[in-house]
Amino acid sequence: MNNKTIREYTLLQSVINAIPAPIFFKDDEGIYLGCNQAFEEYVGKTREELIGKGVFELWDKPLAQKYFDADDALTKAGGKQSYEAQVKYADGTLHDVLFHKAVFHAETENVKGLVGVILDITERKAAEAELEKLATTDSLTGLYNRHYLYEALDASCKRSKRQGLETAVLFLDLDGFKTINDSYGHHIGDSLLEKVAQLLRDCVRESDIIARFGGDEFVIVLENIVERKLSEKIAQGIIDRFHQSFLINGLELSIGTSIGIATYPFSGTDSQSLLKNADIALYEAKTRGKDQYCFL
């Protein structure tokens, strides 16, 4: 290298080292040609350890294969490439990142390859997840809200149709809640609703959907029902659990529940019809004396 070339190279390296995002570049065979300091810190390897080596020499095979496949697709297609991935940083922490890559051709040196920039989007993804949670969950109980329930139930009906299985909708209403709420205040009523939410979580399968429909009404969606006995067993189990008192701020409070059950495809084929018929069945359960379940 002449002095001018050396100065230009040193300047270029200084410039990319000043960029806080990890930057790397490889030739068209996937061999590392260079990187900046942020990339060294990101992968936990020095430039000297990286340059002249390919991904299979540097990373575990599953990760190396993922990098190789993405690079190979870009090299063959040309142009640019962007995709999100979850990667482990050198310090062992897991981050959400966005890869921006593009091919290049340095004509003077007759070198072809690709250059990539890694943008950490962990905070953005966390914010998106929090916004999604706020949009789909009930702020008091942490259960799903009514908006999410309609979407999830429609999706469940479609899956049930494909699989030829039943979906059961349990519509619950708390017996005696209004009296407690009026007598002791909303703060006690809210605490009681939180206790009820946890009770319902304990009574169903992990894959089942539980939503607070509004006030003291809750809906449970049981998917992949092979036999009616399962929904009956869960409904009765919930009713039995309500025979126990709830201890809140030194108060021993007793409430019950009535449950209406509608099933796909016999009682409806979409969220609107299933919830409507489950509500009708709930009314029937209350008419018969509460503390029981009814099918429609």
Side-chain angles (χ1 to χ4, degrees), residues 63-227:
L63 186 60
Q65 190 65 54
K66 183 183 296 185
Y67 290 158
F68 176 84
D69 291 342
D71 291 347
D72 186 55
L74 174 60
T75 301
K76 290 176 179 177
K80 301 175 182 179
Q81 181 188 72
S82 294
Y83 60 92
E84 293 182 8
Q86 197 170 59
V87 298
K88 185 178 288 187
Y89 273 28
D91 62 4
T93 57
L94 204 60
H95 291 245
D96 291 297
V97 301
L98 177 64
F99 281 93
H100 278 303
K101 297 191 289 189
V103 297
F104 70 84
H105 182 197
E107 295 184 3
T108 303
E109 293 83 3
N110 193 29
V111 176
K112 294 181 180 180
L114 61 87
V115 59
V117 179
I118 304 173
L119 302 178
D120 193 315
I121 57 172
T122 305
E123 291 185 4
R124 191 196 84 189
K125 297 291 284 187
E128 289 174 354
E130 183 61 25
L131 286 173
E132 183 178 355
K133 180 180 178 181
L134 289 173
T136 60
T137 59
D138 173 60
S139 58
L140 174 64
T141 63
L143 301 176
Y144 289 117
N145 59 22
R146 185 189 299 210
H147 172 73
Y148 178 85
L149 172 66
Y150 280 105
E151 292 185 355
L153 184 51
D154 280 329
S156 179
C157 289
K158 291 176 182 177
R159 285 191 295 270
S160 294
K161 182 178 181 180
R162 289 195 303 268
Q163 298 167 356
L165 297 173
E166 294 181 22
T167 290
V169 176
L170 280 60
F171 206 127
L172 292 76
D173 181 273
L174 303 183
D175 300 326
F177 175 79
K178 186 177 185 304
T179 300
I180 290 174
N181 200 46
D182 292 344
S183 300
Y184 299 105
H186 293 295
H187 66 291
I188 295 295
D190 287 348
S191 296
L192 182 55
L193 290 174
E194 291 178 289
K195 294 269 190 180
V196 167
Q198 187 55 55
L199 180 151
L200 296 178
R201 291 188 188 98
D202 294 340
C203 290
V204 301
R205 302 167 301 180
E206 189 174 344
S207 59
D208 295 328
I209 296 168
I210 315 173
R212 184 184 177 200
F213 198 72
D216 63 340
E217 294 179 326
F218 298 85
V219 173
I220 298 173
V221 179
L222 308 176
E223 201 170 333
N224 299 328
I225 300 295
V226 178
E227 293 183 345

